[in-house]
Amino acid sequence: MFQYNEKVMDHFANPRNVGEIPDADGVGEVGNPVCGDMMTFYIKVKDNKIDDVKFKTFGCGAAIAVSSMVSEMAKGMTLEKALQISNKDVAEQLGGLPENKLHCSNLGADALHKAIENYMEQHKEI
Ligand code: FES
């Protein structure tokens, strides 16, 4: 038996930034090999910063809370800083996750990083 803390429950019950950005500058999708859940992040970039971020997560409560937290952390950050957000940072910001749910936190930062890399690939400076 495990319990989620209040912060995790809040992000699960009221996830921030849920949705899709149809004209996103970068999109990142990851799947969790452990459970098969999926997460997609969409970003809008302005002046090298994450201007807007949305996500869609087909996953467990922890995965939804993690996506919500990642989106809040990343908003307004420079691309370089956002690339440094680690899965561990996210779990810490959430006040910890139950041991057997830690694998769920592996999706969040990975999906965000993929979206940023997707943007960078399209905007390679020559
Ligand atoms: Fe799949 Fe948590 S059980 S992400």
Side-chain angles (χ1 to χ4, degrees):
M1 202 38 205
F2 59 85
Q3 265 199 318
Y4 291 129
N5 67 39
E6 255 173 51
K7 205 160 184 186
V8 175
M9 283 309 288
D10 177 38
H11 276 268
F12 167 58
N14 312 290
R16 331 309 194 236
N17 307 306
V18 174
E20 207 173 313
I21 304 178
D23 59 340
D25 296 320
V27 180
E29 189 176 70
V30 291
N32 191 332
V34 180
C35 62
D37 290 347
M38 300 282 296
M39 190 183 283
T40 310
F41 262 81
Y42 305 84
I43 55 165
K44 277 300 246 186
V45 179
K46 206 168 147 193
D47 300 330
N48 199 47
K49 285 194 180 136
I50 299 191
D51 193 44
D52 199 10
V53 47
K54 294 221 180 298
F55 72 87
K56 279 202 309 202
T57 292
F58 301 93
C60 68
I64 291 169
V66 161
S67 325
S68 171
M69 179 51 88
V70 169
S71 70
E72 271 206 332
M73 287 166 78
K75 217 175 216 177
M77 265 188 183
T78 62
L79 299 182
E80 288 72 22
K81 269 206 112 181
L83 274 174
Q84 284 169 16
I85 298 177
S86 70
N87 294 320
K88 198 167 150 259
D89 295 340
V90 180
E92 268 170 25
Q93 283 292 322
L94 280 170
L97 284 166
E99 190 70 22
N100 61 349
K101 282 277 152 187
L102 274 177
H103 75 269
C104 311
S105 70
N106 292 341
L107 289 185
D110 290 355
L112 174 73
H113 295 168
K114 270 203 167 176
I116 296 171
E117 281 155 17
N118 178 244
Y119 166 81
M120 286 176 158
E121 272 162 28
Q122 297 173 60
H123 295 82
K124 267 192 193 135
E125 310 272 319
I126 303 159

